[in-house]
Amino acid sequence: MQRNKLHVTRIRGDLLGGHTYTPIEQEDKLERSLTNRHIQLIAIGGAIGTGLFLGSGKNLAISGTSIILTYMIIGFFLFFIMRAMGELLLSNTNYKSFADFATDYLGPWAGYFLGWSYWFNWITSIIADVVVIGGYFQFWFPHLPVWIPAFSSLILLGFLNLFTVKIFGELEFWFALIKVIAIALFLIIGIYLVSTAFVSPNGVTASLSHLTERESFLPHGIGGFVAGFQIAVFAFAGIELVGTTAAETKDPEKTLPKAINTIPLRILLFYVGSLICIVTIMSWSKISPSQSPFVEVFTLIGLPAAASIVNFVVATSAMSSANSGIFSTSRMLYGLAVEKDASPKFKKLSKGKVPVNSLLFSLGIVVLGTSLLFVIPNVMTVFTILAAFTSILMVFTFGMILSSYLVYRRKRPDLHQNSIYKMPFGIAMSWICLAFLSFVVIVCAFDEDTLVALLCSPIWFIGLLITYKRRVRKDEERAWILKHGKRIDL
C-alpha cells in the first residue's frame, strides 16, 4: 500500500476506538493556508446568508415581529452546538471536519451518514443560492431569464475555487466585508430615519411604534410564531463552516474559539438589529414575503438608487453562500474518499492542494439541480423547497455533532478535563439542544412546502443505508482475503 496517498489512517471495524488518526507525509494533505483574518470573516459571512436577506421577508409576513425572538432562540442553541463542535475539533487537530469525530465516537456508519448528508446539504444550499442570484438580477433586468445569471455565477465561482484554498479565503473575506459594511450602513440609515420620523412616499412613518403596534407580535397567533422556525433555521446555514475549514486553518487552537465565541454578538447585530430596523422603517404588514425586505425598504422610502446598491449586496451575499458551499462540498467529498467512503478518485489534489475531482463532481450535481429552474420558474417556490430540505439535513448534522459530544464526554473524560475550550454546561445543554432540534423537525410537518421535504428525507437516508451496507460487505471481503493470504481485485 502506498501510504503517501492517504491523508490519515483509520482502523475500522471492531478495532475502531477513539483517536485512530495518525499524521503522515505532507505530500497529499490539504494545506493550512487560511489565516485568522480569513477564519473570522468566514465565520461572520456564515452568519449572514441568503436566509437573512431573502427569507426574512417571508418570516416577517408569517410571524410578525415575533420572528426577532425566533432568531434569538435559534442563535442561542446554535452557539452551544458550535461550542460542542469546537471542543471536539480541538481535542484532536488531525480531525478534518466533524465527520471525523463522529466516526471516532459513534462509529464508521456515523461518519459515512454525516459526511454524505452534509455534502448533500450544501449541494441543495448552493442550488438555492444560485437560483436566488438569478432572482436578484431580475431587479435590474426584469426580462432576463433566471437561469442565465444562475449558471453564470456557478461557473465563475467553480473556476475560482479550482486554484488554491487561499483564493477561497480571499473571496470569502471580501464577500463578508461587503455584507458587514452594508449592514452597518443599513443600521445607521435606519436609526437616522427613525430619529427623524421619516415619512415614505406611501405615507408610512418610520417609528419604533411599529414594533409594538397592534397584532405585530403574533399576527397569525402562536401557529405563525412556530412556523417561523422553519425558514429561520435555514438563515443560519453556514454558521458551522468553521468546522469544515479545520484542516486548512493556521493555528486552529486560537482562531476557532475566537470565531465561535463571537456568534452571539453577530446574531444580535446582524439578525436582531437588521430586523428591528426593517420593522421600524416600514410596518411588518407592508413587507412582501416574496422579496428581499432590505431592497424593499429603500424602494419604499423612494431611494431606488440605494435599493439597487442593496440589491448588489444581497446578490454578493448569495454568491458568498454559494462559494462557501462549493468549498464545503469539495472538502467533505475529499474527506469521504480519504476514509474510503467515496471513490478514491476524489482524493486527487491539484498543485494548489485543491481536491479538484471532488470539486468538479459536486459542481456537476449542482448544475443538474439548478435545472429545476426550467421546470419551476418561480424563484421563491424553488428556494422554499430547497431551503426546507437543507434545514432538515442541517438538523441532522447538528444532532450528530451533539451525539458525538455526549459519547466523547462518556468515553474520554480525560480529554475534556484537559480541554482548552470546554463547552459550557456540556452534557445538560447537549440534551436540551437535541430536544430543540426535535422540535424543529416536528415544526416542519405543519407547512406544505417543508412537509414535502420532510417526507422525502427518508428516501435519502434509506439510500445511504443501502450503500453503507454494501461498503461494509466489501470491507469484510477484503479483511477475509487479507487474513487468508489470497489476492483478489475487489
Side-chain angles (χ1 to χ4, degrees), residues 81-226:
I81 295 172
M82 291 303 99
R83 285 298 301 261
M85 181 188 73
E87 181 176 342
L88 283 165
L89 285 173
L90 294 179
S91 70
N92 186 342
T93 52
N94 286 317
Y95 289 145
K96 302 180 300 300
S97 70
F98 34 76
D100 291 337
F101 62 64
T103 300
D104 257 3
Y105 291 109
L106 301 179
W109 70 270
Y112 185 88
F113 273 64
L114 182 53
W116 278 109
S117 293
Y118 189 70
W119 173 82
F120 196 57
N121 173 8
W122 269 108
I123 287 292
T124 56
S125 183
I126 297 169
I127 297 169
D129 287 323
V130 296
V131 165
V132 166
I133 290 169
Y136 287 145
F137 268 80
Q138 285 189 323
F139 177 84
W140 296 301
F141 311 103
H143 302 296
L144 180 71
V146 175
W147 64 268
I148 293 178
F151 282 108
S152 298
S153 60
L154 187 58
I155 293 169
L156 173 64
L157 292 174
F159 175 74
L160 292 174
N161 271 271
L162 281 172
F163 293 100
T164 65
V165 67
K166 196 164 185 180
I167 290 181
F168 160 77
E170 287 298 328
L171 278 174
E172 277 307 289
F173 176 84
W174 292 106
F175 276 146
L177 195 60
I178 289 172
K179 289 187 282 189
V180 170
I181 293 173
I183 289 184
L185 290 174
F186 182 78
L187 294 174
I188 292 170
I189 292 171
I191 292 170
Y192 170 76
L193 293 176
V194 171
S195 63
T196 58
F198 178 83
V199 180
S200 65
N202 68 350
V204 176
T205 302
S207 171
L208 290 172
S209 64
H210 292 315
L211 292 169
T212 56
E213 62 188 5
R214 188 178 180 183
E215 296 184 349
S216 65
F217 186 70
L218 293 173
H220 302 293
I222 194 68
F225 171 69
V226 172

